[in-house]
Amino acid sequence: MQGVLPTQCRDFMNKQYWQRFFKKIKKEGQQNEFFEWYGNYDSYNHLFKKYIKMEDNVFHAGCGKSLLSEQLYDNGICKNITNVDYEKISLDQMRKRSENKRPEMSFQCMSLTEEINIQSEQFDVILDKGTLDAIFPDEETPQVNTYLANMLRILKKNGKFIIISLLQEHILKTLLQLQVNIQIYECIIEKSKLYPFFIVIDKSDQKSIQFYQLQKEVQILSIKQAQEIIKKIQLQNHFVTSIHKLRQSQSFTLDIWDNNNKQTPRYKLDIYDNDDSKILLQKTCGCFIVPQGREQSFLFGTEQGHKELIKQMKMSRCVIARMNPGHKFNNMKQVQQELSEPMKQLIPKGCTNIPCPFLTDGDEIGEKNIIFEADDCIVEELNIDDIKYRRLIIKSALDLIQSEAKIINNKVDNSYLDFEAYVAIVAGLAFNKAKEVLILGGGVGLLSRFINEHFGVKVTNIELSEDIVNVAKTFFDFKNTDSETLVCCDALDYVDQTLECHQYDTIIVDINASQANQLSPPKQFLSTEFLNKLKTLLTPQGIIIINVLDSQKELTQLPWDLYYSRKCENEINEIFYLINAQKEKKQIDGKEIDVIDKGLLDSITQQLKESRVNFSKGKWDNSMNLANEIDNIKLKHPVFKTQAFQTQDALLVQDGEIINNRKEFYQEDLKKVQKKKHNRRRKN
């Protein structure tokens, strides 16, 4: 096809280009002059049968010299097909091919990017195979609005607008903004380097985005989720087409599926090409198999840990293989056999160490058993260093462990918290002497049980998932009592229903996003509106503790006047402690400045010191040093840049920074100090 495809994307809009295009194909003696964008009928016949009926009136937009209409006709899918294109020569040729064989087919020459003379709601199905991509090469193509308006106007209510497209970023954005019911299918075209999507826009009152990924069940997505998952697939497909080329610092992730399980991939492979050019020249490749139960450790569960592992492996290409939850693995031999075929596809061109070695930490894959599985979660038991752990995994976020408990004598050990984030949350109880705590996103109740048992605090847990509530009671020993309850309810609804009815000393927000790599908790739980609602639920000395997981660095600042934080070292979580402080306003040089009572900060510091002493007496697992954890809590907002002005009674805050260290405030402060000293001398 060299010399046939356009040199720049705008050529797609040029009528003369298409005339030259078809002539050149014929002249160069291609086996088939009928050019098929993004595969032929056989590539999509199962979807055509699903969405097109024999009695449908079909409009084929931008048919060109595609044989698709003929194949739909000849295979008995539909016969009443109107073929439309603006390139007359090719259209006439296609008409002659069908005028005797396919009498019910018709052909019209017109431009679809201009106003068209067709009555509204005439067609049951509109078929666009590559046309949208051709007329919408980049964002600076206003004609596309006319095209889409034309198509939606002539489509009947409840009709189907079928589009086969590569879904470039600007095209996907435009389709998702139509606010319609849209279904998107991932497709693979045999022996092709193109990876189109099959899109069905349903002209109905419903508004949703359904995504059908290969070997997976249908997913209901938001606009942002759809953009993220399709971009990920496109990057993966781009990588696959050039997978045998080594590129310095290149990295990618692939899922390996089991035909017997379409809910979760069996393996996750993280592929890294070395950033050392000398090692890259060696053209070596190796696979490290992460033992079960070690997935969340620093070396295997963090990006920095992966970099350290790559340095240790000293391979040009390193593949880090993880065995996913929900699957049974018998032994290391089985895992290596299953990974051998995928590894053959990942070996770089000219690899010098075939067969590539499999490496691991120790001799075994680790012992793991699946003890329960529901539609959205998995409960597993693992033995790590002769200690039994029980885990809850959410299927939509396999990289994250939702809850983990240590099991002793087949019971949950309530003296132990596995996650550094949970330890940091408990350290937040040092800010006040809480008597009643509310946890939004209670999970299976491990955090609640620890707080209730070791601090004598009444705890109410709110958990959205009924499956997780049942798992908590069945597999994590949770029982509702007078001092500890687990309620199945939407956190937003619970807060609205509880406003002005009840108050808590501490509110903990520990809500996970529905998909991996998304901000947790979701943005609605970090909004000014929601946090102000929580503020009404707080006692005067109350505090809000939020567990934030922000791998994409979306969160810059919380809409709150005074808060502390603790950044977890071995996890990507950051814990925020929001103080129930009343800010005041002060006019300085004609500007309104926020004022925070410095005495409040001093009292908080004193409270943390006192709590540190009490926490050192706790009877919990020796691995958790909660007293030292308090020392890691630091003032986050406002930004405190200096300790120089300890004499001033108030901290002046502007744009999130304490401004007492400015020269004019220093001089004003100094005058106050001198005046106080002068008054003392006069008294003496």
Side-chain angles (χ1 to χ4, degrees):
M1 276 302 186
Q2 188 65 32
V4 173
L5 294 177
T7 55
Q8 54 183 356
C9 61
R10 286 219 155 265
D11 287 346
F12 278 122
M13 293 291 292
N14 189 313
K15 186 182 295 188
Q16 286 71 35
Y17 160 73
W18 289 108
Q19 291 175 347
R20 294 195 304 269
F21 173 87
F22 290 118
K23 286 180 180 178
K24 194 160 189 176
I25 286 184
K26 200 166 185 179
K27 183 178 178 181
E28 292 185 359
Q30 298 284 340
Q31 289 184 349
N32 191 343
E33 64 173 293
F34 303 101
F35 189 66
E36 292 294 348
W37 285 105
Y38 313 154
N40 56 24
Y41 164 83
D42 292 333
S43 305
Y44 310 100
N45 64 348
H46 62 297
L47 293 171
F48 290 139
K49 290 175 182 177
K50 180 176 180 180
Y51 290 105
I52 303 176
K53 302 185 183 77
M54 173 60 77
E55 63 271 18
D56 284 343
N57 191 7
V58 178
F59 184 92
H60 188 179
C63 60
K65 297 190 75 172
S66 169
L67 299 179
L68 179 58
S69 292
E70 297 181 8
Q71 292 166 332
L72 289 170
Y73 194 105
D74 296 344
N75 282 279
I77 303 298
C78 60
K79 295 188 181 298
N80 191 5
I81 305 173
T82 301
N83 297 282
V84 176
D85 202 275
Y86 78 152
E87 208 288 294
K88 189 175 185 304
I89 297 174
S90 298
L91 195 68
D92 287 342
Q93 291 175 359
M94 299 305 290
R95 180 188 289 112
K96 288 179 181 179
R97 282 176 53 87
S98 294
E99 59 186 357
N100 295 322
K101 295 181 181 178
R102 305 172 186 92
E104 296 173 63
M105 276 177 47
S106 62
F107 295 81
Q108 294 185 36
C109 185
M110 68 176 71
S111 172
L112 298 176
T113 58
E114 300 171 1
E115 188 174 341
I116 58 176
N117 186 23
I118 299 177
Q119 291 184 359
S120 300
E121 298 192 3
Q122 290 295 301
F123 295 94
D124 302 286
V125 175
I126 293 175
L127 183 58
D128 171 329
K129 182 165 167 280
T131 302
L132 182 61
D133 289 6
I135 66 174
F136 194 18
D138 55 48
E139 291 183 354
E140 298 178 4
T141 314
Q143 298 97 320
V144 72
N145 295 322
T146 305
Y147 171 72
L148 291 174
N150 283 335
M151 297 303 99
L152 292 174
R153 181 180 64 80
I154 66 174
L155 184 64
K156 291 180 181 179
K157 187 175 181 180
N158 297 319
K160 304 290 188 288
F161 184 8
I162 297 174
I163 303 170
I164 299 174
S165 165
L166 295 180
L167 278 187
Q168 301 94 311
E169 186 175 357
H170 60 284
I171 290 178
L172 177 62
K173 180 181 177 182
T174 299
L175 293 180
L176 295 179
Q177 287 176 342
L178 291 176
Q179 294 291 308
V180 293
N181 192 49
I182 183 169
Q183 300 168 67
I184 305 174
Y185 291 81
E186 181 189 6
C187 300
I188 289 183
I189 309 303
E190 191 175 353
K191 297 180 181 179
S192 172
K193 292 185 178 181
L194 296 176
Y195 295 88
F197 294 86
F198 189 98
I199 305 106
V200 182
I201 293 175
D202 188 354
K203 190 178 177 181
S204 66
D205 295 331
Q206 293 182 334
K207 294 179 181 179
S208 69
I209 302 169
Q210 301 170 50
F211 185 68
Y212 295 80
Q213 192 171 355
L214 291 174
Q215 297 180 302
K216 282 191 177 183
E217 295 183 346
V218 61
Q219 303 171 66
I220 308 299
L221 304 176
S222 66
I223 289 178
K224 184 176 180 182
Q225 289 170 340
Q227 290 171 323
E228 288 177 349
I229 196 169
I230 288 173
K231 185 175 181 180
K232 179 181 177 182
I233 290 170
Q234 289 169 332
L235 288 171
Q236 179 171 306
N237 290 337
H238 172 75
F239 178 76
V240 168
T241 59
S242 58
I243 202 167
H244 298 296
K245 295 179 181 178
L246 288 168
R247 292 181 175 87
Q248 193 170 1
S249 301
Q250 175 177 245
S251 64
F252 209 77
T253 299
L254 294 175
D255 289 329
I256 306 299
W257 291 80
D258 178 357
N259 290 332
N260 297 322
N261 185 337
K262 293 190 177 183
Q263 288 191 319
T264 59
R266 186 166 173 81
Y267 295 97
K268 175 186 175 183
L269 304 183
D270 290 311
I271 301 114
Y272 297 92
D273 288 353
N274 211 299
D275 58 4
D276 188 324
S277 57
K278 292 182 180 178
I279 294 179
L280 208 66
L281 289 172
Q282 296 173 7
K283 296 185 178 180
T284 54
C285 182
C287 177
F288 191 97
I289 300 172
V290 178
Q292 294 180 109
R294 303 279 302 281
E295 301 92 348
Q296 299 296 317
S297 65
F298 170 76
L299 195 62
F300 308 128
T302 67
E303 186 176 346
Q304 193 60 39
H306 280 187
K307 290 180 180 179
E308 184 62 35
L309 183 58
I310 291 164
K311 284 182 181 179
Q312 295 178 20
M313 290 177 68
K314 295 181 179 180
M315 297 281 185
S316 306
R317 172 168 291 173
C318 306
V319 179
I320 301 174
R322 184 185 115 158
M323 294 167 273
N324 277 329
H327 296 266
K328 178 69 176 176
F329 303 92
N330 296 321
N331 50 53
M332 182 61 73
K333 184 178 180 181
Q334 177 204 11
V335 172
Q336 290 183 1
Q337 287 176 342
E338 291 178 350
L339 289 175
S340 292
E341 191 58 37
M343 281 301 298
K344 290 178 183 178
Q345 307 301 320
L346 295 173
I347 292 172
K349 187 176 181 180
C351 183
T352 59
N353 66 332
I354 299 175
C356 296
F358 287 99
L359 311 171
T360 191
D361 186 11
D363 298 326
E364 298 298 327
I365 60 172
E367 184 182 342
K368 180 180 73 173
N369 294 304
I370 302 167
I371 61 174
F372 175 77
E373 184 170 0
D375 290 339
D376 60 354
C377 65
I378 301 166
V379 180
E380 298 181 330
E381 277 192 356
L382 305 94
N383 278 321
I384 305 173
D385 299 328
D386 296 326
I387 299 175
K388 184 183 287 187
Y389 295 91
R390 191 170 291 169
R391 285 180 175 175
L392 172 65
I393 308 289
I394 305 301
K395 289 182 177 179
S396 61
L398 292 175
D399 287 344
L400 302 176
I401 300 172
Q402 206 275 350
S403 300
E404 180 172 286
K406 186 189 290 185
I407 304 298
I408 298 177
N409 296 325
N410 209 33
K411 291 186 177 182
V412 172
D413 179 7
N414 294 326
S415 70
Y416 172 79
L417 291 173
D418 181 68
F419 301 140
E420 186 182 0
Y422 274 6
V423 176
I425 288 172
V426 173
L429 298 178
F431 280 94
N432 61 17
K433 297 177 181 178
K435 294 181 180 179
E436 192 163 0
V437 173
L438 171 66
I439 301 179
L440 303 178
V444 295
L446 298 179
L447 180 62
S448 165
R449 196 109 33 90
F450 186 93
I451 292 172
N452 175 255
E453 185 168 312
H454 294 282
F455 292 86
V457 174
K458 184 177 180 179
V459 185
T460 301
N461 296 273
I462 306 301
E463 172 55 48
L464 177 62
S465 170
E466 187 175 353
D467 279 343
I468 291 178
V469 171
N470 292 332
V471 163
K473 295 175 180 178
T474 307
F475 300 101
F476 290 88
D477 304 341
F478 192 95
K479 295 179 181 179
N480 283 325
T481 65
D482 292 339
S483 63
E484 187 184 16
T485 55
L486 179 57
V487 181
C488 185
C489 178
D490 186 296
L492 296 171
D493 292 340
Y494 182 86
V495 169
D496 287 339
Q497 294 164 8
T498 313
L499 289 174
E500 301 179 2
C501 299
H502 203 92
Q503 285 192 315
Y504 299 90
D505 303 298
T506 300
I507 299 175
I508 298 170
V509 181
D510 185 30
I511 297 174
N512 293 322
S514 59
Q515 299 287 331
N517 299 319
Q518 293 181 347
L519 178 65
S520 294
K523 287 185 178 179
Q524 65 261 40
F525 295 98
L526 301 172
S527 67
T528 302
E529 180 185 4
F530 182 72
L531 292 178
N532 283 338
K533 287 181 179 179
L534 293 188
K535 195 170 186 176
T536 65
L537 296 178
L538 286 177
T539 58
Q541 305 301 318
I543 181 174
I544 300 171
I545 303 175
I546 307 178
N547 180 13
V548 174
L549 193 153
D550 186 18
S551 59
Q552 305 300 318
K553 309 298 181 187
E554 296 180 53
L555 185 66
T556 55
Q557 184 176 312
L558 289 171
W560 201 265
D561 298 325
L562 176 64
Y563 56 89
Y564 292 70
S565 82
R566 159 73 166 113
K567 181 71 175 175
C568 298
E569 296 176 4
N570 295 325
E571 299 169 8
I572 58 176
N573 304 65
E574 186 169 6
I575 311 303
F576 292 90
Y577 313 89
L578 282 58
I579 308 302
N580 191 9
Q582 297 294 327
K583 72 174 181 179
E584 300 176 8
K585 298 286 186 181
K586 184 175 182 180
Q587 290 287 334
I588 300 177
D589 295 335
K591 295 180 179 179
E592 194 175 60
I593 304 294
D594 292 339
V595 178
I596 293 177
D597 182 4
K598 182 176 172 295
L600 174 62
L601 293 187
D602 292 339
S603 66
I604 289 173
T605 301
Q606 183 59 35
Q607 173 64 39
L608 293 177
K609 286 182 180 179
E610 293 176 5
S611 295
R612 193 185 191 287
V613 174
N614 295 330
F615 277 34
S616 64
K617 302 173 184 177
K619 296 181 180 180
W620 38 71
D621 193 283
N622 293 331
S623 64
M624 298 187 309
N625 194 329
L626 281 170
N628 286 348
E629 189 66 25
I630 295 172
D631 296 336
N632 295 321
I633 298 174
K634 306 296 180 184
L635 180 65
K636 178 81 171 185
H637 180 86
V639 178
F640 204 170
K641 289 193 171 182
T642 178
Q643 296 287 340
F645 310 109
Q646 296 295 321
T647 57
Q648 203 160 321
D649 296 329
L651 297 175
L652 308 177
V653 182
Q654 190 174 47
D655 297 328
E657 291 189 4
I658 294 174
I659 57 176
N660 298 55
N661 56 337
R662 294 182 184 175
K663 184 178 179 181
E664 59 266 32
F665 297 118
Y666 170 74
Q667 290 172 342
E668 181 183 336
D669 190 47
L670 185 61
K671 288 177 184 178
K672 291 181 181 178
V673 174
Q674 290 171 342
K675 187 176 181 180
K676 286 181 180 179
K677 288 182 178 178
H678 178 70
N679 290 338
R680 288 195 196 102
R681 289 195 191 101
R682 287 184 63 183
K683 288 180 180 179
N684 292 334

